[in-house]
Amino acid sequence: MELHRPGVSVYTVPADAPEADGTLAWDSTTVVIAEVSAGDATGTGWTYGPPVVGDFLSGHLAPLVEGMSALDVPAVHDAMCRSVRDAGRAGVAACAISALDIALWDLKARLLELPLVRLLGACRERVPVYGSGGFTTYHDTHMAAQLNGWVHGQHIPRVKIRIGEGWGREVPRDLHRVRAARHVIGEHAELYVDAGGAYTRKQAVRVGHALAEHGVGWFEEPVSSDDLTGLRLVRDAVVSDVAAGGYGFDLPYFARMITAGAVDCLQVDATRCGGLTEFLRAAALAQAHGLEVSGHRAPHVHAAVAACVPNLRHVEWFHDHVRIEDMLFDGALDPTGGTISPTGGLGHGLTLRTQDVAEYRVG
């Protein structure tokens, strides 16, 4: 069954409040959506990035995959990856490949009239999630309301806040916010932090020792994810698990991170790394080295594939993307109790509300 030329649409959604982490600030998020058809079925995939990702997808990848077999997703994936040799795999090209790969798996499942989780083969029926937000721009009351909603409202027993404000220049406020978060969620919920690569190596170690006093079990990107030596040094020095990998654009990236002994848990983002095809490969690579993986951002992209990975720790229930995916799609999942179940409907179970979200379309 041959693929028709994929369609592309781009939406920019304003944030519900100013947001920032340790190294970046933003007030809107752009999602690039790929739709690909064969026969009477259509699959949908998406990524988060600048509108130019959509230009690359429609101008370079769409004509390339037209006419290929809708059932042979690895072959289409390989053709896309080979085609970007001169353009470069990382960044725009990887995000575009990811969106189309996700759409292809959704299409195949719909053609076979299966939920995606059944096509891939489940290891579990429910996928653990953690609430993720706590941006450095939030005042204490705003952060408390968000954390309260997750832990005491939806009973999600693990949450993450951002620290490293101003490229690591506000450590006293970082630690104040950690103390405040622990007070809000209580002693039993798991508390995670994400520094966004803001700290220097020794600074991260000092912060890590302070985090241990508040039972922080997850220290994400204490230093830049490009500093593999630094990640390893911090990992060896602190009690919290060190996590990174969300900016990986291909399998060799994850191999380098694992070989360096840089992380306790490997983060993989299917909207960046090359879609579900590469997510599964990265998870297998991590498992071969005794590591768990965590789905980075875009929870509805990761729900089904995460259920099919034996070495999964959890998926990030990221505030921005949860809000956008609930706005753009019918079929959004419910994380009440701290897990989601991706077993309903055909494919990944989501359907784009094209008319309802037209006001956000920019391309």
Side-chain angles (χ1 to χ4, degrees):
M1 191 170 291
E2 291 187 355
L3 294 169
H4 302 151
R5 183 173 295 211
V8 180
S9 54
V10 182
Y11 299 84
T12 296
V13 180
D16 56 1
E19 297 175 349
D21 57 20
T23 55
L24 190 67
W26 61 96
D27 58 13
S28 66
T29 299
T30 298
V31 56
V32 177
I33 297 177
E35 294 178 279
V36 61
S37 300
D40 296 327
T42 299
T44 306
W46 64 97
T47 187
Y48 294 91
V52 69
V53 174
D55 296 336
F56 189 86
L57 209 166
S58 58
H60 181 86
L61 297 181
L64 173 74
V65 306
E66 184 177 9
M68 296 188 71
S69 170
L71 299 180
D72 297 331
V73 180
V76 182
H77 184 274
D78 187 55
M80 291 192 292
C81 292
R82 289 176 182 271
S83 77
V84 300
R85 187 199 69 176
D86 290 350
R89 167 72 181 267
V92 167
C95 289
I97 290 169
S98 299
L100 192 46
D101 182 86
I102 294 160
L104 288 165
W105 281 109
D106 183 42
L107 171 63
K108 181 173 181 177
R110 291 173 190 267
L111 286 170
L112 298 177
E113 299 185 345
L114 291 170
L116 179 56
V117 68
R118 299 303 174 208
L119 174 63
L120 297 174
C123 293
R124 59 184 61 79
E125 293 298 308
R126 303 197 67 88
V127 174
V129 300
Y130 67 90
S132 172
F135 302 108
T136 59
T137 44
Y138 284 5
H139 51 65
D140 288 358
T141 304
H142 190 163
M143 183 176 74
Q146 187 179 65
L147 297 178
N148 255 318
W150 285 325
V151 175
H152 304 300
Q154 293 180 299
H155 304 289
I156 300 173
R158 55 196 82 84
V159 292
K160 183 174 79 180
I161 68 169
R162 269 66 185 173
I163 61 173
E165 183 177 352
W167 286 87
R169 297 186 183 93
E170 302 290 342
V171 172
R173 184 167 188 266
D174 291 340
L175 298 180
H176 163 77
R177 296 177 71 253
V178 170
R179 288 191 296 271
R182 174 54 73 191
H183 177 75
V184 170
I185 68 175
E187 61 179 312
H188 299 299
E190 297 178 41
L191 180 57
Y192 303 164
V193 299
D194 178 0
Y199 297 130
T200 64
R201 295 175 180 180
K202 288 291 184 69
Q203 187 183 28
V205 171
R206 291 191 294 271
V207 170
H209 290 161
L211 295 175
E213 299 174 15
H214 305 289
V216 173
W218 170 282
F219 195 178
E220 184 175 330
E221 282 199 299
V223 298
S224 170
S225 55
D226 292 328
D227 182 9
L228 299 182
T229 300
L231 285 171
R232 175 60 186 266
L233 289 171
V234 176
R235 181 191 180 198
D236 288 344
V238 303
V239 174
S240 305
D241 281 357
V242 168
Y247 298 99
F249 291 112
D250 56 23
L251 200 60
Y253 173 99
F254 300 114
R256 291 191 296 271
M257 184 165 279
I258 292 170
T259 301
V263 295
D264 296 290
C265 183
L266 184 70
Q267 294 177 282
V268 188
D269 190 331
T271 72
R272 286 177 174 155
C273 73
L276 306 186
T277 300
E278 208 81 327
F279 185 99
L280 290 167
R281 294 169 180 171
L285 183 64
Q287 186 178 16
H289 289 82
L291 293 176
E292 292 179 316
V293 296
S294 177
H296 181 257
R297 315 181 316 159
H300 291 91
V301 164
H302 290 112
V305 72
C308 304
V309 170
N311 56 321
L312 177 83
R313 185 176 297 196
H314 42 43
V315 164
E316 182 175 14
W317 195 252
F318 180 48
H319 171 70
D320 277 6
H321 295 176
V322 168
R323 179 171 162 268
I324 290 170
E325 289 165 7
D326 186 57
M327 184 183 300
L328 293 181
F329 299 103
D330 287 321
L333 300 172
D334 180 3
T336 300
T339 64
I340 51 178
S341 179
T343 56
L346 300 182
H348 51 49
L350 273 65
T351 305
L352 183 63
R353 297 180 181 139
T354 306
Q355 298 303 319
D356 295 344
V357 295
E359 64 182 292
Y360 301 110
R361 185 161 182 176
V362 297

